[in-house]
Amino acid sequence: MDDVTNQGGFRVLNRLRRIEWDADWDDAYSHVISRQLLMREYLRRSALWAEAYSAEEAWPFFDITNYVAPELSLPQSLSLDLNEFLRTRMVGLVKTTCAGAVRLAELRTQDPAAEKPSLPELYEPLLVMYERGGDFMRDNSGALDLTGVSFRPGTMRDYLGDTPIVTVRASVLDALDTEGRVTFFAKDAGDGPVLRCRLLPGGEERYEVFSDQLNWDTTEAIHTQERGAEGATYTRATPSEAARIIEAMMSGPSAKQREG
């Protein structure tokens, strides 16, 4: 039998313990694109869960088990370990969501049928975001500060959609993150390849294309509609649109042939 500390709530708690919560700002800045998309994906998933369990007033940062199974009781050892972790490491919204992630994982162990199977995994995007540069905070204006980028989350209704904003697949997230200010471009049809323009700290513009080799290669200046190029087929793409194209390329026949 597997060690109980590798199961259920213990597994998620151990994962939280391994996160470098005090990571330097450079680490968070190097993952600024993926961290923002992961936060938006969490907001989407939490909106679906809030609607399903009448938790709209608590959206977006909550312990969902208070609505799914308010009677949930953690094993004593897990409860003690979780409380110690939260007391010494966590504050505010991060504390609430970390507790929710552990408790939801434990609920699945105790009662696999307790939650609605049609809902996406709730806390995974947030856990991956934490792993890619630490925590976040909400300022007095309501904006979310992710270190290196901040944005206003909008309303719950803005996120009630079935289309994922980003995958939690590490290879896709890594392909999105890079140094500098990035603008993505794609064809009008919304398929590959993905191109990007990077404005580096020194002021240099660098143009790159995500190739069939599944990496970024330097290319010539991008001819886009924004630059007034006649007959240009490339238009600005959101990071989420770029992520979907990159994921499709990574899952396509050519990628599978390389793996084989």
Side-chain angles (χ1 to χ4, degrees):
M1 181 180 295
D2 292 337
D3 188 329
V4 68
T5 59
N6 292 322
Q7 301 175 16
F10 280 107
R11 178 182 55 79
V12 175
L13 179 57
N14 289 333
R15 182 177 173 186
L16 292 170
R17 285 167 166 165
R18 290 192 295 269
I19 292 173
E20 295 186 23
W21 295 101
D22 298 323
D24 59 39
W25 281 24
D26 288 343
D27 189 40
Y29 275 110
S30 67
H31 295 115
V32 66
I33 296 175
S34 65
R35 278 170 54 83
Q36 181 176 10
L37 290 179
L38 286 163
M39 173 59 80
R40 290 188 181 278
E41 175 61 12
Y42 168 75
L43 294 173
R44 183 188 76 87
R45 296 187 187 192
S46 65
L48 296 175
W49 281 74
E51 183 181 56
Y53 289 102
S54 301
E56 290 89 347
E57 78 285 354
W59 182 86
F61 304 107
F62 44 44
D63 177 351
I64 193 61
T65 63
N66 291 331
Y67 299 87
V68 179
E71 73 287 352
L72 174 66
S73 177
L74 300 183
Q76 183 177 20
S77 57
L78 176 58
S79 180
L80 290 173
D81 286 355
L82 175 60
N83 288 338
E84 177 65 13
F85 171 77
L86 297 176
R87 183 182 66 81
T88 58
R89 300 294 307 170
M90 300 290 100
V91 295
L93 303 176
V94 178
K95 179 177 182 178
T96 298
T97 53
C98 286
V102 172
R103 288 172 56 83
L104 183 58
E106 183 60 29
L107 175 61
R108 292 196 181 103
T109 299
Q110 295 185 19
D111 185 2
E115 65 182 80
K116 298 178 181 179
S118 60
L119 292 171
E121 170 62 47
L122 174 56
Y123 292 106
E124 185 64 18
L126 207 54
L127 295 177
V128 176
M129 193 203 79
Y130 292 150
E131 291 170 335
R132 298 179 74 84
D135 58 10
F136 72 98
M137 65 177 59
R138 183 161 55 188
D139 64 25
N140 293 334
S141 70
L144 301 178
D145 183 351
L146 309 184
T147 307
V149 65
S150 63
F151 68 95
R152 295 183 182 277
T155 69
M156 187 183 116
R157 294 293 163 188
D158 296 331
Y159 293 92
L160 286 174
D162 293 332
T163 302
I165 293 171
V166 74
T167 179
V168 296
R169 185 175 170 182
S171 57
V172 176
L173 299 175
D174 290 342
L176 293 171
D177 288 325
T178 188
E179 180 186 25
R181 186 185 304 170
V182 180
T183 304
F184 293 102
F185 297 89
K187 292 182 179 179
D188 290 337
D191 54 9
V194 175
L195 299 95
R196 71 184 180 189
C197 174
R198 288 201 289 147
L199 180 61
L200 300 177
E204 175 192 358
E205 281 190 336
R206 186 171 298 174
Y207 301 94
E208 297 163 324
V209 57
F210 194 77
S211 71
D212 289 338
Q213 299 302 310
L214 305 184
N215 53 28
W216 292 100
D217 294 329
T218 302
T219 187
E220 297 180 357
I222 302 169
H223 298 290
T224 69
Q225 291 178 6
E226 289 187 348
R227 291 178 174 269
E230 185 176 352
T233 59
Y234 288 96
T235 58
R236 185 184 292 245
T238 67
S240 180
E241 290 167 341
R244 283 196 286 272
I245 296 171
I246 290 172
E247 182 179 21
M249 293 176 67
M250 289 183 170
S251 303
S254 58
K256 293 179 180 178
Q257 287 175 4
R258 278 189 293 275
E259 292 175 357

